[in-house]
């Protein structure tokens, strides 16, 4: 039976430390919370007050419980008050020297068997531990932000950590009602190592004005179901902390993708640290507030669809999953919709797929039977491209092959009337290469729907160097009528979502291949630590490993980033035919 802790301490009561104090006190432990001076003590106490006040307001915490929580916490500026603590978690800023000083001090005041833990996100736990004379009693205990909410705790053992200490740490975490994942001492551990490359990439998308702040965040929330967008998350984590984490990761990996995006350094220097200072990528109504207020970057409310061309009649080309879904979306929104499939059999198949989907929507009370009838009345199938001769907008969703799409656009160029808008729903090809097959590339735009199109709210509207402003405005107006959320970006491989998503998935494969953690632990870390709806390996198996490899290869070819090179393990699994759920085996094996 391993040891039960009842008296614990936390050093540093900032974003993380205050949350950790709350977690401990909520679990009935006696906590000593240490800050560097009286003013910081008050601020730290204020964090716990604000967080528990919020819980009381929301009815999640009884006022008496809140009082009891505060009864168990002693806030102090005297680190010596930790002398009786059986376990201490350090959560001071992400600076190695500072942490080493704190640990040296902790060693001198605590008992020899006190378990010492650092909440570092990226620094070497080993280097921190050897600042004490008893590194075997030092572990990493990496909580996630906000600590009272997120259940993952990465427990880090170094080469000198005593096995017993690691077990104690793990059991302690379980006792808090949290989920521990035990890993070795590598910068970023599991979750941050996978998260920060992605956050950094999003920051540089913003910095290079590839897409706007809200569009980047909305794309990842709506396109991937993430609980928050990357820039909002950077603000929550703190840009200073984020900078330090990336800097440490870069020093260890030498991967350019971890080199902090220059804008992070500039913002930190300017004191724009995120929520904690009231301003980061977004502006908040006051420091430490989650409430975003408009600022100079907030999109203006002038009509974004000014100059949009009128669209009444729509054509959809293709008969696969995407084309079928898109045709249904248009028909449901009241557009006169003609879809073109190759051959009568495919025409009939699309129609019955739409009928089934509409029936399901009626059964689930998503639409009325009348709306379903109307949608079907709006939908006409044909096998002749010539039937698109009167369309105002044609959306192509045929196979993802450049030559096929180019040939189709060249034909559409001959058939579809002047002034119509032509859209491709490609997810990885360059829109301008498709557009160049026509004599009217100004009329061509990317409309990247997500699967299933009926359900997913996001559409990426992709303008090429030639897309006319009124064509983009038309695409935006159409998305609005479809009830979709449009984000705009330019014509670069992966647009917003795939460019941010697939390198992260690829990094997860590399981490697995390096035997740093198991697929289960990695999936758990991202779901429980970051609130992702699926872990990377679950998602890869759903998306299809071949699809992931193709997208990652496109990104690698376009950006020539060594860090984007597809992970060899991904290539090997594809070669072996382990393509994911559809093949019955990918990273995991499925019952057929
Ligand atoms: N922010 C996150 O999302 C997050 C998540 C997990 C882990 N972490 C890690 O947690 C640690 C703390 O990060 P944070 O975001 O809470 O930083 P923060 O800047 O919000 O808080 C750090 C606190 O430490 C205090 N402090 C500084 N020197 C001190 C000392 N000598 N003694 C006592 N207190 C001292 C500061 O006054 C400040 O209140 C870092 O190692 C960070 O990498 C952060």
């Amino acid at each position: 039976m391993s040891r039960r802790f009842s008296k614990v301490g936390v050093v540093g009561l900032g974003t993380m430390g205050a949350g950790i104090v709350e977690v401990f006190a909520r679990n009935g432990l006696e906590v000593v919370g240490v800050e560097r001076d009286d003013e910081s003590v008050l601020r730290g106490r204020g964090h716990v007050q604000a967080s528990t006040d919020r819980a009381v307001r929301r009815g999640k915490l009884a006022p008496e419980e809140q009082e009891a929580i505060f009864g168990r916490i002693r806030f102090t500026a005297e680190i010596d008050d930790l002398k009786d603590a059986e376990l201490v978690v350090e959560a001071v800023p992400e600076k190695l020297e500072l942490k080493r000083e704190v640990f040296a001090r902790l060693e001198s005041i605590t008992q020899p068997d006190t378990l010492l833990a650092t909440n570092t996100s990226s620094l070497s736990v080993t280097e921190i531990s050897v600042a004490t004379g008893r590194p075997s009693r030092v572990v990493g205990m990496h909580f996630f932000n906000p600590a009272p909410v997120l259940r993952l705790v990465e427990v880090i053992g170094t080469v000198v950590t005593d096995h017993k200490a690691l077990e104690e740490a793990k059991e302690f975490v379980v006792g808090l009602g949290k989920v521990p994942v035990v890993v070795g001492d590598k910068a970023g551990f599991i979750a941050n190592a996978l998260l920060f490359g992605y956050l950094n990439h999003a920051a540089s998308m913003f910095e290079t004005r590839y897409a706007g702040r809200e569009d980047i965040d909305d794309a990842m929330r709506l396109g991937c179901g993430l609980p928050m967008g990357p820039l909002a998350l950077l603000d929550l984590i703190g840009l200073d902390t984020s900078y330090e984490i990336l800097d440490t990761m870069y020093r260890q990996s030498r991967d350019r993708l971890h080199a902090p995006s220059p804008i992070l350094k500039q913002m930190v220097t300017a004191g724009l640290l995120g929520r904690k200072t009231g301003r980061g990528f977004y502006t908040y109504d006051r420091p430490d507030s989650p409430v975003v207020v408009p600022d100079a970057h907030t999109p203006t409310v002038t009509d974004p669809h000014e100059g949009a061309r009128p669209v009444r009649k729509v054509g959809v080309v293709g008969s696969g999953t995407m084309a079928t879904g898109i045709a249904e979306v248009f028909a449901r929104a009241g557009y006169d919709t003609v879809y073109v499939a190759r051959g009568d059999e495919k025409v009939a198949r699309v129609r019955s797929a739409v009928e089934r989907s509409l029936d399901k929507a009626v059964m689930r009370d998503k639409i009325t039977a009348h709306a379903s009838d109307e949608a079907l009345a709006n939908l006409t199938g044909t096998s002749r491209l010539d039937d698109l001769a009167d369309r105002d907008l044609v959306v192509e969703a045929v196979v993802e092959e450049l030559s096929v799409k180019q040939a189709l656009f060249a034909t559409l160029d001959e058939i579809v009337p002047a002034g119509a808008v032509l859209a491709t729903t490609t997810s990885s090809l360059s829109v301008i290469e498709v557009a160049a097959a026509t004599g009217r590339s100004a009329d061509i735009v990317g409309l990247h729907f997500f699967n299933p199109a009926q359900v997913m709210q996001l559409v990426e509207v992709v303008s090429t160097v030639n897309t006319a402003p009124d064509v983009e405005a038309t695409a935006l107006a159409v998305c609005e009528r479809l009830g979709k959320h449009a984000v705009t970006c330019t014509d670069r491989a992966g647009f917003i979502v795939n460019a941010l998503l697939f390198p992260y998935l690829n990094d997860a494969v590399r981490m697995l291949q390096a035997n740093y953690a198991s697929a289960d632990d990695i999936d758990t870390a991202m779901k429980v630590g970051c609130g992702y709806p699926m872990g990377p390996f679950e998602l890869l198996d759903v998306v299809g490993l071949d699809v992931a490899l193709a997208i990652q290869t496109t990104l690698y070819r376009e950006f020539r980033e060594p860090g984007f090179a597809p992970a060899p393990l991904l290539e090997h699994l594809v070669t072996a035919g382990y393509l994911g759920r559809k093949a019955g085996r990918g990273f995991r094996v499925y019952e057929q």
Side-chain angles (χ1 to χ4, degrees), residues 352-387:
S352 57
V354 173
E355 281 170 0
R356 273 199 310 279
S357 164
L358 288 169
D359 283 349
K360 224 190 278 172
V362 173
M363 248 155 45
R364 292 184 181 161
D365 280 334
K366 297 252 158 80
I367 56 170
T368 62
H370 178 68
S372 163
D373 291 345
E374 274 191 344
L376 279 175
N378 289 335
L379 193 65
T380 314
T382 173
S383 57
R384 291 163 21 99
L385 281 170
D386 286 342
D387 291 338

Side-chain angles (χ1 to χ4, degrees), residues 10-20 34-37 40-41 43-44 47 76-77 79 90-95 98-99 101-102 118-123 128 141-147 189 192 196 233-234 236-238 240-242 244-245 273 276 288:
V10 177
V11 186
L13 306 176
T15 310
M16 288 311 294
I20 297 169
V34 182
E35 258 292 348
R36 54 185 167 176
D37 50 42
S40 309
V41 168
R43 214 189 46 225
H47 289 318
T76 170
I79 198 164
E90 162 281 312
V92 302
E94 191 76 344
K95 303 254 187 229
L98 177 60
K99 288 190 191 277
E101 275 167 32
V102 170
T118 170
N119 185 48
T120 182
S121 313
S122 60
L123 297 173
I128 295 171
M141 208 180 266
H142 184 230
F143 287 81
F144 287 73
N145 185 9
F189 315 127
N192 284 348
F196 272 85
L233 181 55
L234 280 165
L236 174 69
I237 294 170
D240 50 345
T241 302
S242 301
E244 295 299 334
I245 294 173
L273 306 186
K276 58 185 164 191
D288 289 319

Side-chain angles (χ1 to χ4, degrees), residues 442-455:
D443 291 337
I444 283 123
V445 67
L447 270 184
H448 184 223
F449 286 82
F450 288 74
N451 187 17
Q454 302 90 323
V455 179

Side-chain angles (χ1 to χ4, degrees), residues 319 339-350 381-384:
S319 55
Y339 66 90
V340 186
R342 281 185 308 168
D344 293 342
E345 196 194 315
K346 285 190 174 163
V347 171
R349 221 186 293 155
V350 170
T382 173
S383 57
R384 291 163 21 99

